[in-house]
């Protein structure tokens, strides 16, 4: 056996030196080529073209290394989304290839070296306009004007200066009013969304601009000297938001039914709301020239002998513990004004300022102070006494 192996070994290993060297070099070169076209480094992400393409962050590239049995043994790379285009220096290419550890635009050295690339979707043709789905004919609304692409907006954009009235197909329209102007952008799928919030839930098929803002057209506040500070306390209505999709704001007071017109303060209370930038009281439109105010019960005097100041809770007067609320009523007005009247001297010499125990002093629905469960001398209530010209003061005492 040993003799047989000894005789065969020259047949296995025998090879002219030059031929063996060339064979080894050929194998090494082949291995190196295979390695070099499979070992390209990761690409940098190229900048998006100034216009015409939407380079969304979720557009990825995919790469593949083929087996030696395939036609090509080199890596290649293209966009994962079949609808996307691979761009190199702003120019579209089908795919890029790894050659000698270098990404190239072609399988041969005739192509250009690729340092960075980006996947992008070509902008939709309808970005220059907006689908007219569900538009309303309303003089409070104006059509949304789509603007062409620029450096900041790759596919198209537009703004509503005051606020926007938007919706998707079949959805309830909503108002967008912050930040102003309200800006919209279009993507490669021709979908419009509010800038800085391009989520799928924010794709709009209908955008209309609201001509006026509720804040800019709010009816004005002004006091009425004939009653403010005398019959009522007057203050400015508050501008509040509502949850209604078509109402931006409402004007409210601290208490229900307190909002009135300055020039007709006894008129039935108004409840103004702003719908699509237009204020209305339910029947007629309002503007900045319509003067409104809120009314409340008038200020009250505190008796000097009061041991603490009564607190106005907005609906009634209360004393801090442990004191009880009482009122002092000046009855001198009931004394005869003519000194010749036999009752004149007796009335004025007697104590005409009387303190009454009260259950409570409340601000009633007519925004006047009144007592509950008390009779003020010959009057059924505090309000009745005040209507007859009597003056009163509140005090907190034991």
């Amino acid at each position: 056996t040993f003799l047989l192996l000894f005789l065969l070994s020259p047949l296995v290993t025998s090879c002219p030196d030059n031929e063996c060297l060339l064979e080894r070099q050929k194998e090494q070169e082949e291995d190196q080529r295979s390695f070099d076209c499979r070992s390209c480094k990761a690409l940098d992400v190229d900048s998006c073209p100034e216009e015409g393409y939407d380079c969304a962050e979720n557009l990825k590239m995919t790469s593949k290394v083929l087996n030696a049995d395939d036609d090509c043994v080199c890596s290649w790379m293209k966009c994962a989304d079949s609808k996307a285009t691979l761009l190199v220096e702003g120019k579209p290419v089908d795919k890029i290839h790894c050659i000698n550890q270098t990404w190239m635009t072609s399988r041969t050295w005739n192509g250009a070296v690729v340092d960075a690339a980006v996947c992008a979707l070509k902008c939709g043709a309808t970005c220059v306009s907006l689908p007219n789905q569900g538009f309303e004919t309303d003089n409070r609304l104006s059509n949304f004007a789509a603007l062409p692409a620029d450096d900041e907006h790759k596919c198209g954009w537009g703004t509503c200066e005051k606020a926007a009235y938007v919706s998707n197909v079949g959805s309830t329209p909503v108002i967008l009013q912050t930040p102003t102007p309200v800006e919209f952008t279009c993507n490669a799928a021709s979908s419009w969304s509010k800038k800085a919030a391009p989520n799928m839930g924010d794709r709009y098929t209908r955008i209309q601009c609201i001509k006026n803002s509720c804040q800019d057209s709010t009816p004005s506040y002004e006091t009425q000297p004939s009653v403010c500070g005398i019959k009522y306390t007057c203050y400015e209505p508050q501008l509040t938001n509502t949850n209604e999709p078509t109402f931006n704001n409402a004007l409210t007071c601290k208490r229900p039914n307190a909002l009135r017109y300055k020039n007709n303060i006894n008129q039935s209370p108004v409840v103004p709301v702003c719908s699509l930038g237009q204020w209305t009281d339910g029947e007629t439109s309002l503007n900045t020239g319509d003067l409104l105010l809120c009314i409340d019960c008038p200020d009250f005097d505190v008796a000097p002998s009061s041991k603490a100041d009564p607190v106005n809770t907005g609906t009634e007067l209360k004393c801090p513990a442990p004191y009880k609320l009482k009122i002092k009523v000046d009855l001198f007005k009931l004394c005869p004004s003519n000194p010749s009247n036999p009752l004149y001297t007796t009335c004025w010499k007697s104590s005409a300022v009387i303190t009454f125990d009260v259950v409570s002093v409340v601000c009633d629905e007519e925004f006047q102070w009144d007592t509950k469960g008390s009779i003020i001398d010959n009057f059924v209530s505090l309000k009745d006494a005040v209507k007859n010209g009597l003056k009163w003061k509140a005090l907190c005492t034991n």
Side-chain angles (χ1 to χ4, degrees):
T1 303
F2 176 77
L3 180 61
L4 178 61
L5 292 174
F6 177 78
L7 294 174
L8 290 176
S9 58
L11 297 178
V12 176
T13 59
S14 179
C15 169
D17 290 341
N18 289 340
E19 291 183 12
C20 289
L21 179 61
L22 292 175
E23 185 67 25
R24 286 195 297 269
Q25 287 178 344
K26 183 178 179 181
E27 291 176 356
Q28 289 174 355
E29 290 174 358
E30 184 66 28
D31 290 342
Q32 185 65 41
R33 281 196 301 271
S34 297
F35 173 78
D36 287 347
C37 71
R38 294 171 183 261
S39 55
C40 284
K41 296 180 180 180
L43 276 173
D44 293 331
V45 178
D46 203 355
S47 58
C48 196
E50 291 185 359
E51 59 182 65
Y53 289 91
D54 178 19
C55 303
E57 293 182 358
N58 60 347
L59 292 175
K60 306 298 182 182
M61 285 184 280
T62 182
S63 61
K64 186 176 182 181
V65 176
L66 302 177
N67 296 321
D69 294 336
D70 293 325
D71 294 336
C72 176
V73 296
C74 298
S75 300
W76 54 261
M77 189 177 293
K78 66 178 183 179
C79 293
D81 189 337
S82 60
K83 297 179 181 178
T85 301
L86 184 62
L87 299 175
V88 176
E89 297 183 352
K91 298 179 181 179
V93 297
D94 178 52
K95 64 177 68 171
I96 55 177
H97 306 268
C98 183
I99 301 175
N100 195 24
Q101 301 184 28
T102 303
W103 288 110
M104 307 288 293
T105 57
S106 131
R107 292 186 180 183
T108 66
W109 285 102
N110 294 329
V113 175
V114 180
D115 295 319
V118 66
C119 285
L121 294 171
K122 191 172 180 60
C123 291
T126 56
C127 276
V128 296
S129 62
L130 190 69
N132 186 8
Q133 299 184 33
F135 275 27
E136 291 188 12
T137 303
D138 193 310
N139 58 12
R140 297 170 296 180
L141 302 174
S142 62
N143 292 334
F144 174 76
L147 301 175
D150 57 22
D151 291 346
E152 184 179 355
H153 311 89
K154 302 302 180 182
C155 290
W157 66 293
T159 61
C160 288
E161 291 299 320
K162 302 292 185 180
Y165 196 46
V166 301
S167 67
N168 295 312
V169 176
S171 67
T172 302
V174 296
I175 288 174
L176 303 177
Q177 58 180 356
T178 55
T180 55
V182 184
E183 185 172 325
F184 299 90
T185 58
C186 187
N187 66 10
S190 299
S191 294
W192 287 87
S193 63
K194 184 179 177 183
K195 186 181 179 182
N199 301 316
M200 289 307 296
D202 296 323
R203 303 300 189 193
Y204 303 121
T205 55
R206 165 255 188 96
I207 301 176
Q208 287 179 276
C209 294
I210 300 174
K211 294 179 180 178
N212 299 309
S213 72
C214 293
Q215 289 83 352
D216 293 344
S217 59
T218 304
S220 304
Y221 160 72
E222 190 172 295
T223 63
Q224 175 53 276
S226 64
V227 294
C228 294
I230 303 173
K231 185 177 180 181
Y232 302 109
T233 296
C234 301
Y235 60 94
E236 186 174 2
Q238 297 298 307
L239 187 65
T240 59
N241 292 324
T242 70
N243 294 324
E244 295 291 336
T246 56
F247 296 138
N248 288 69
N249 304 95
L251 283 175
T252 60
C253 299
K254 298 175 184 176
R255 295 183 59 191
N257 304 323
L259 192 62
R260 306 295 173 92
Y261 288 105
K262 175 203 169 183
N263 296 328
N264 190 358
I265 207 162
N266 294 319
Q267 184 176 336
S268 299
V270 295
V271 184
V273 292
C274 186
S275 174
L276 298 179
Q278 175 63 63
W279 285 96
T280 175
D281 63 0
E283 295 181 356
T284 58
S285 297
L286 304 175
N287 54 57
T288 54
D290 292 304
L291 305 178
L292 301 175
L293 53 84
C294 294
I295 61 173
D296 207 343
C297 280
D299 292 334
F300 58 93
D301 294 326
V302 179
S305 59
S306 182
K307 295 184 178 180
D309 288 338
V311 177
N312 180 2
T313 66
T315 56
E316 64 178 311
L317 300 183
K318 287 188 175 182
C319 286
Y323 302 113
K324 295 181 180 179
L325 180 66
K326 296 185 179 183
I327 62 172
K328 281 188 173 183
V329 179
D330 184 353
L331 300 177
F332 284 117
K333 183 178 178 64
L334 301 181
C335 294
S337 59
N338 186 357
S340 62
N341 189 312
L343 299 177
Y344 178 85
T345 302
T346 304
C347 180
W348 282 91
K349 283 184 178 181
S350 64
S351 178
V353 178
I354 303 177
T355 301
F356 294 92
D357 293 328
V358 294
V359 175
S360 63
V361 176
V362 298
C363 184
D364 66 9
E365 294 180 354
E366 295 179 351
F367 302 99
Q368 297 298 314
W369 293 112
D370 201 4
T371 53
K372 287 187 176 181
S374 305
I375 296 178
I376 309 299
D377 199 53
N378 293 320
F379 301 101
V380 296
S381 66
L382 177 60
K383 186 165 69 172
D384 187 28
V386 171
K387 284 182 178 179
N388 284 275
L390 272 66
K391 305 293 184 181
W392 67 281
K393 295 179 180 180
L395 73 157
C396 295
T397 187
N398 296 327

